[in-house]
């Protein structure tokens, strides 16, 4: 059996998306900046993708910019706004549970004379609005808070934070890589200034990202060069990728409410099955206010990589925040930020579902997981 | 991620000598300062030879497999022979470890040494 429960890491490309991309990988290879028909056809493809995204997320077409990745969008949003507004102030606020693309960008800016406040989160992973308000200073120019956490799935009160930041005239960026396609997003209503997401998390291709930049936002370029993307993001466009993320965004936002209900059902069935059948298990994140397809649990006394290896032997792909699974040999900063001790974070398991998953797969997991945990516990010196 | 060898996966999926020895002659426990794992080794010694050995490990696949391998390598050996086993030897016997996992094999070597030391401390007086 091949079961893929790691959709927060990346997703399978949708067939319709691939089909729309194919001509742009083969026949329509022209440079969109060129004047002749082959170039114009490529340009038309980009225009269509931008239109699809703008209508899916409810914004203007001139507010959508294509990048190479979620990471590039995060970098651009944060460095771009920080640099463009540094005369006004050099203070940035973010959270301690951001993706590394945000955290390490902020750390870099600290070496360049910016000050960054990393907000703590509550035990359920939600940002404390009061402490956010308290940290706002005269010289705060940017606040960046992720929409939904990639590890524990907690959803942040983005609309509320947007309101607060705007009352103070501060720019607000949200990393929505995990949110787009899972949560209904209406940019006019949400009212953030910048929003990041990427193609491969929504059944689109890898190597393509989007940065939404609200009209009037003061931001400098990250990449300098040609006049692509209205002179804001140089580099010949990744046309097939753009076509792909355009179609993928359209598909991912269609029927999003029904999809969320489907995923929530799978998720809750699986959570209940785990909690009922495996003692000494902790559910991380918020029980309700979480991504529809996200599960994150810690099994006490055992280690995550071992769990993943045993699952893999049975054909199940999942992930963990254990120190042993990371190249840095540090446990997940998110699990530490919600107050878990190192040895508990060690036994973490994340399962992330997509609409491709079904109940049968969950049932199979629930038949094998208790044994895996028990076997590893038998080997453990803790207890 | 870099792949584990077949042999390592065998020792991980079917670890040898898992468990505790209730009346062990020596017990060694070490923690991994790098990632926070724990390994405990129990030995039974007769006429200066390791006659029985068991382990408990809280750690990654490489940590489990190296514990399993080290117990196999030293079972039946004299204490002096057992002390000569290095982490490199343990790794080699598993057909190698990914570089990032070499620190896990230290744990196996150190836990074994700690168990022998513990045995010697308890048994030098007679
Ligand atoms: S024991 Fe943690 S990486 Fe091997």
């Amino acid at each position: 059996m091949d079961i893929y429960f790691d959709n927060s890491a990346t997703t399978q490309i949708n067939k319709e998306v691939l089909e729309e991309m194919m001509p742009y990988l083969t026949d329509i290879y022209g440079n969109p900046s060129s004047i002749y028909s082959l170039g114009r056809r490529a340009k038309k493809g980009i225009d269509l993708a931008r239109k699809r995204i703008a209508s899916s997320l409810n914004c203007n077409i001139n507010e959508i910019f294509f990048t190479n990745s979620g990471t590039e969008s995060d970098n651009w949003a944060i460095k771009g706004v920080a640099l463009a507004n540094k005369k006004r102030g050099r203070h940035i606020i973010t959270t301690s549970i951001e993706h590394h693309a945000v955290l390490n960008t902020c750390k870099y800016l600290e070496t360049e004379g910016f000050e960054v406040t990393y907000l703590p989160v509550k035990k359920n992973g939600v940002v404390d609005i009061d402490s956010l308000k308290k940290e706002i200073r005269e010289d705060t120019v940017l606040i960046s808070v992720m929409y939904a956490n990639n590890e524990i799935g907690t959803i942040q009160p983005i609309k509320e934070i947007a309101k607060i930041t705007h009352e103070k005239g501060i720019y607000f960026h949200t990393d929505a890589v995990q949110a787009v396609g899972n949560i209904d997003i209406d940019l006019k209503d949400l009212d953030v200034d910048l929003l990041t997401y990427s193609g491969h998390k929504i059944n689109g291709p890898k190597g393509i990202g989007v940065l939404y930049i609200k009209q009037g936002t003061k931001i400098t370029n990250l990449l300098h060069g040609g006049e692509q993307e209205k002179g804001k993001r140089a580099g010949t466009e990744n046309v097939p990728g753009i076509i792909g993320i355009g179609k993928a965004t359209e598909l991912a936002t269609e029927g999003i409410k029904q999809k969320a209900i489907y995923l929530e059902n799978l998720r809750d069935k699986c959570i209940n099955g785990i909690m009922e059948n495996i003692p000494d298990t902790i559910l991380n994140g918020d029980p309700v206010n979480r991504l529809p397809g996200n599960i994150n649990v810690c099994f006490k006394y055992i280690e995550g990589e071992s769990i993943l290896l045993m699952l893999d032997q049975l054909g199940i792909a999942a992930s963990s925040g254990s120190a042993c699974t990371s190249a840095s040999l540090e446990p997940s900063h998110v699990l530490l930020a919600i107050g878990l001790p190192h040895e508990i974070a060690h036994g973490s398991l994340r399962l992330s579902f997509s609409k491709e998953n079904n109940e049968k797969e969950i049932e199979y997991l629930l038949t094998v997981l208790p044994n895996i945990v028990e076997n590893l516990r038998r080997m453990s010196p803790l207890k | 991620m870099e792949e584990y060898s077949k042999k390592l996966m065998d020792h991980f999926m079917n670890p040898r000598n898992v468990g505790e020895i209730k009346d062990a002659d020596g017990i060694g426990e070490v923690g991994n300062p790098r990632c926070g794992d724990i390994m405990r080794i129990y030995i039974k010694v007769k006429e200066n030879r390791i006659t029985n050995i068991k382990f408990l490990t809280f750690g990654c696949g490489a940590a489990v497999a190296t514990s399993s391998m080290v117990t196999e390598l030293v079972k039946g050996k004299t204490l002096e022979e057992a002390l000569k086993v290095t982490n490199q030897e343990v790794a080699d016997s598993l057909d190698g470890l990914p570089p990032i996992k070499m620190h896990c094999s230290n744990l196996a070597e150190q836990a074994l040494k700690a168990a022998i030391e513990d045995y010697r401390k308890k048994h030098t007086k007679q």
Side-chain angles (χ1 to χ4, degrees), chain A residues 42 53 96 154 177 263 291 321:
Chain A
I53 293 172
S96 50
T154 306
V177 166
L263 289 177
L291 284 171

Side-chain angles (χ1 to χ4, degrees), chain A residues 324 329, chain B residues 32 35 37 59-60 63 101 103-104:
Chain A
C324 300
L329 295 171
Chain B
N32 190 331
C35 59
D37 298 319
C60 72
K101 294 288 182 180
H103 68 103
C104 317

Side-chain angles (χ1 to χ4, degrees), chain A residues 301-303 305-307 309-310 313 323-329 342-343 346 376 378-383, chain B residues 1 4 9 12-13 15 18 34-40 55-62 64 100-101 103:
Chain A
Y301 321 125
I302 61 175
E303 187 282 319
E305 187 199 274
S306 296
I307 307 172
L309 288 171
M310 294 205 162
Q313 294 288 309
C324 300
T325 58
S326 81
S328 64
L329 295 171
H342 188 138
E343 73 273 13
H346 229 44
L376 289 171
R378 221 176 293 137
M379 256 188 252
S380 171
L382 307 176
K383 249 167 301 206
Chain B
M1 203 189 103
Y4 284 142
M9 280 309 289
F12 170 69
M13 292 303 288
V18 174
R34 295 215 51 197
C35 59
D37 298 319
I38 299 168
M39 193 179 292
R40 193 185 297 156
F55 79 90
L56 292 176
T57 291
F58 168 56
C60 72
V64 171
I100 191 172
K101 294 288 182 180
H103 68 103

